[in-house]
Structures are given as C-alpha cells and as structure tokens.
Amino acid sequence: MRWILLLSCLLCFASAWSAEQVAIRIEGLDERLERNIRALLTIAQAESMSDPHRIRIAHERAPDEIRRALEPFGYYRPKIDAALTREGPGWLAVYRIDPGDPIKLSEVDVRLTGEGLELREFKTLIARFPLKEGDVLDHTRYEKGKEAFSEAATEFGFFDASFSRAEILVHLSDYRSEIHLHFDTGKRYRFGEVSFSETPLKPSLLERFVNFHAGEPFRSSTLVRLQKNLLDSSYFSKADVIPHPEQADARQVPVSVSLAMQPRNRFQAGAGYGTDTGPRLTLGYRNRYLNRHGHSFYADLRLSLIRTELDALYAIPLKRPEKDQLGFAAQIGTEDTLAGTAEVARIGIRHSTARWGLREVLSLDLQRERFDVGEGPQTAVLLLPSLGYTWLSSENVLNPERGARIDLIGNGASKDLLSDVSFFKLRLNAKGIYSLGERNRLIARAQLGYIATDEFSELPLTQRFYAGGDRSVRGYRLNEISARNADGDRIGGRYLTVGSIEYERTLFGPWGVAVFYDVGRAANHFDEPFSHGVGLGARWRSPIGPVRLDFAVPLSRAEDSFQVHLILGPDL
C-alpha cells in the first residue's frame, strides 16, 4: 500500500514537472472584447496543461467559445482564424478575429402592467430603458435595464411582480434582433405593524422613531431612514430593520426591528498644548439613557492655565427623538487672557431640531458675568435668546477627505428684558476641506462677526470679538488680536474677520505635514490693520481622530516670537 501511495505521488510530481506552458495571443479586438474572451477560453483557464491532447481539444473549442464571448456585445458573425503551434518547450495559440458588424435592434418592446403604472418611477424606467430601436444589441445593457424593474418593484413594495415575457430574439437570416420585456408589477403592498426587540427604553419612545403609519404604501427607502434615525439617536449600536412580505396579511407587511443598545455610560478624555494656554485637559461624561424615557445627561470639564469651563446638559427627546430635543443647560467658567478676566455662570433651556436640511438650536440663557478688560471690574446680567443653524456635508466627520461646515449664530439681549446691556451679535463660521488627489488636501476657513450696540463698554468680555489662538490666527496668543483703547487695553471689537488657508500633504501611512497662512482682526473701525501668521504643522490621523501639531510665527506685532499648538479633535 505504501508503495502505491509513493508511486502516485511520484506520478503527480512528474506530471507537474512535465506541464507545458501555453501562450495565447488574440489579435483584432479592443481591450474590452479581448478581456471577455480570455475569461471564457478553456485554453486560458490554466497557466499550463500537462497533456498535449488536452491542449489540442481546448484549442478546437476556442472558436465556439470566442463566438459566445462576442455575442453579449452584439457580434454574431465573427470571422476567426485559429492556429496552434509548438514554440520551444511550450505552445503558442494565436486567434485572429474580425468581429464583423454588430447586430442592431429592429424592435424594443418594453411594457408595464399592474398598479405600478400609477408610479412615475416606473414610467421613467420605460422612457429611459438603456436600449432603443436602432441601437447595437448589448446584453449587459439589456440586463441592467431589466434589473432596474426588479429593483424598483422591491423598493416600492410590489412583491408579486414578475416578467410575463423577457427575451431577446436574434434573426441571423436578415441580421437583426428584437427585445420583448413585459413586466407585471401586480398589486402594491403596504406597511403593517412594527415590532421592536426588548430594550431598556419604553415602547412608546421606540414607536416615535417610526417614520410611517400602518397602511401607508410600502417603500424600502423609508425603512432605511428608520434605521438611520435609530442609529443617529446614540441609543443603539445596532438596528436591523427587516420587512416580512412572506408574512403579509391582506398585503400589509409586518416589520421587525432588532436593536442592540450602546453602553449606558461613556467617558472621554482629551489633551492639548499651547504656548499661551500651557497643557490643556478635557474630561467628558455621558449617560445615554438615564431612564426608560430616554433622558440623557452630558458633562464636560475643560482645564487650562488660562481658561476653565464646566458644562452640563440634561436632554429630553421629543416627538421625533432622532431630531427633536429639549435641554436644560448650566455652565460655570473662568478666563484669564491678554484681553482680561471673566467669571461666568449661566443656566438655560434649549430646543434643537432638524429643519430645511440644517441643524437648528433655539436657546434662552440667563448669564451673570464678572469681567475686567482693563477699565475696572464690572458685572453684567444678561437674558440671552439665541438662534443657530449648522450645515454639515461630509462622508466622514472625523477624518474627511472632503467636506464642509457652516455655522450661523445670532444672539442678543435687551435692557427691556432683564438685561444690563442691549446688543445684537451675529457670527458666521465656515470651513471647507477639498481633496487634491490621493495625498493632498486644501483646507480653507473663515470667521465673520458683527455686534450692534450703543453700549459696547458695558458688554461682557465673552460677548466681544477677539482673534488669536489655535482655532483663529495661529502665531498669536488666545484673544491677543483686538482693538485697543487709549491706554492700550485690549477691549475687543465689534467686527470679526478671520481667514485661513492650509495645504496638507500625506507622507506615509497616517502621517503628514502642513503649511498654513492665517489672517484676522477684531476691530471697531474698518481701517484697523490685520494680523498675519504663517507656520508648519505635523499631522497624524489617529484611530480616535486627527492630531495636529502646529508651529506658528506671527508676521505682525505680537507678544511672542512664535506659538506651538497641539490639538486633538475632528476636522469639521
């Protein structure tokens, strides 16, 4: 038995050793046709064959295989000259092909029956069928057009749809072809009841995510939006939304939703460094669902040598939990920069929703601020209504190749409404990221602001405009760029103008470099000068977000000859 096994192995090795190479050359065709032929040729399926007899058989099959490979592209009368010769230790197979004229369509008969006739989408499929009378017959385009009807039927709930006729007729006698495609959509199904898997949240909260009612016409994209709404809520790590047409009763399709919860608690930590701020530390806590009603709690602590802030928010989901939220906020903080000092305490209420494709936040805050901008200590109490809109376009907020974000925020106060000073403030922030090839990005940033008031000297420090710092004009300290009074105190400005352009180049892996130019001013008059800064930066696309290390030099008068900024956070 051992000798038989050994002999078999030796024969296998001998067969492999004696395998003969076959080279294949195809002439007369473009790359697309040649690629399809090579994929179907038996003689091209293996790099080598051990039996010359098998090689000759495969070569004899080649003309028929070539014809079949050309037919999907409309070539039904090719002329093929095939030759197989020995070349040294191997073989050479040469196929000279004249594909001839492609066959054309004399008739394209596309028909639709059933309730789908009422839908504009099906009428569009008929009008835009990829093949018309007089076109070259192309099987790939035919299958694409045919598949579009099946996909539309699935999308719009025609689960009994079928082709009553689907065929291509080829008449070689007069060299013409016909397409007959008859599609019966049948009757449209409707949404049935929605059931959810067990979760810690109340069923009534889950039901508010559902964006349709039982009895509405079925549409698959509606279920995709339901899945997106559930995942966007931050309650769930998984949301599988599955229709069950096989269980339909009176053509009403039940839908089941399988959910997996996110961890209830989330802790965050971040760090940074700036020449002016020293080390910076951010700590965050989030409780995603405090109770069965889906209430949540957020708290963030930001610490540095010149600024300390503690923010807290208690949030309640409203009618559309994925979009609408009512929040109760509180904040305390201190600030000690070149502009002056401030102690802030604030409580407020805010409502956020989605409107017109934007994120809308409407808030009302009561703020007390003790501040000193060089003119002596002052205290101001403000009742601050605010309205903000955010537009965001990005495939990846954390590390986008391209994207844009625009924030427009307006707020103000009035002495007639429990405030010590009257003013209106408007601010626009915009940032765009543009891909320039595989390794290059161009990043543009702009900030514009305006304050209308007759009592600027009484305005709290946190409501005035300043420039400078790692998210403004790099190369300058935080709040260093400012209009000044006669004593040289930085009193802030009514007008804010900041611009930045940055070129980023990826060197290898997640590592890259950047060069940038920033310009800006916080002024009370339009003839006040701008401050300029330039610099170099290192970039690391870490798993938890981009890390940016910038070395910036001021080109205008500044407190320091350079600034170093280390930032961890999303690009948009």
Side-chain angles (χ1 to χ4, degrees), residues 320 323-324 351-362 387-391:
R320 300 177 300 174
K323 297 178 180 179
D324 303 333
H351 176 267
S352 61
T353 187
R355 195 188 308 275
W356 310 312
L358 308 172
R359 190 67 184 167
E360 177 188 279
V361 179
L362 177 64
L387 178 61
Y389 289 95
T390 297
W391 176 77

Side-chain angles (χ1 to χ4, degrees), residues 337-390:
T337 68
L338 289 176
T341 61
E343 297 177 3
V344 181
R346 178 187 296 179
I347 57 172
I349 184 171
R350 60 200 58 194
H351 176 267
S352 61
T353 187
R355 195 188 308 275
W356 310 312
L358 308 172
R359 190 67 184 167
E360 177 188 279
V361 179
L362 177 64
S363 63
L364 181 65
D365 294 309
L366 181 62
Q367 174 180 311
R368 182 180 186 273
E369 180 171 341
R370 296 178 60 189
F371 63 99
D372 185 351
V373 291
E375 300 176 346
Q378 295 175 269
T379 300
V381 175
L382 302 175
L383 184 65
L384 290 164
S386 174
L387 178 61
Y389 289 95
T390 297

Side-chain angles (χ1 to χ4, degrees), residues 432-510:
I433 300 175
Y434 308 92
S435 177
L436 301 173
E438 186 177 345
R439 292 175 170 266
N440 307 288
R441 294 197 310 170
L442 191 66
I443 303 171
R445 176 168 51 86
Q447 300 172 21
L448 297 173
Y450 169 69
I451 299 173
T453 183
D454 293 328
E455 306 163 291
F456 188 83
S457 62
E458 299 177 28
L459 200 64
L461 182 148
T462 59
Q463 297 299 326
R464 306 184 188 196
F465 286 130
Y466 294 89
D470 53 25
R471 299 186 185 275
S472 180
V473 183
R474 288 164 286 189
Y476 300 82
R477 293 190 189 184
L478 183 68
N479 291 355
E480 180 178 349
I481 301 172
S482 167
R484 303 192 185 214
N485 62 14
D487 296 326
D489 300 318
R490 293 178 173 86
I491 59 172
R494 297 170 182 265
Y495 311 105
L496 176 70
T497 309
V498 173
S500 173
I501 191 75
E502 180 173 320
Y503 168 72
E504 184 180 296
R505 168 75 175 178
T506 300
L507 298 179
F508 53 89

Side-chain angles (χ1 to χ4, degrees), residues 388-406:
Y389 289 95
T390 297
W391 176 77
L392 177 64
S393 175
S394 176
E395 81 291 347
N396 180 352
V397 177
L398 205 60
N399 284 305
E401 292 298 326
R402 61 176 63 240
R405 175 173 178 151
I406 299 175

Side-chain angles (χ1 to χ4, degrees), residues 85-104:
T85 57
R86 273 281 191 182
E87 280 217 346
W91 299 81
L92 174 64
V94 180
Y95 304 103
R96 297 180 178 88
I97 304 167
D98 177 6
D101 295 327
I103 197 168
K104 294 189 177 181

Side-chain angles (χ1 to χ4, degrees), residues 198-244:
E198 190 68 27
T199 73
L201 303 177
K202 290 188 69 172
S204 58
L205 172 61
L206 300 177
E207 290 165 4
R208 299 211 302 269
F209 283 98
V210 180
N211 52 336
F212 57 85
H213 300 286
E216 285 185 15
F218 183 93
R219 187 163 184 180
S220 293
S221 58
T222 301
L223 299 183
V224 174
R225 286 198 299 274
L226 171 58
Q227 182 185 44
K228 184 177 185 300
N229 291 344
L230 290 164
L231 293 174
D232 286 349
S233 70
S234 80
Y235 294 130
F236 311 106
S237 62
K238 184 191 76 170
D240 294 332
V241 181
I242 305 171
H244 299 280

Side-chain angles (χ1 to χ4, degrees), residues 482-484 492-495 520-531:
S482 167
R484 303 192 185 214
R494 297 170 182 265
Y495 311 105
R521 69 178 179 183
N524 287 316
H525 304 284
F526 288 112
D527 58 353
E528 294 182 35
F530 285 89
S531 295

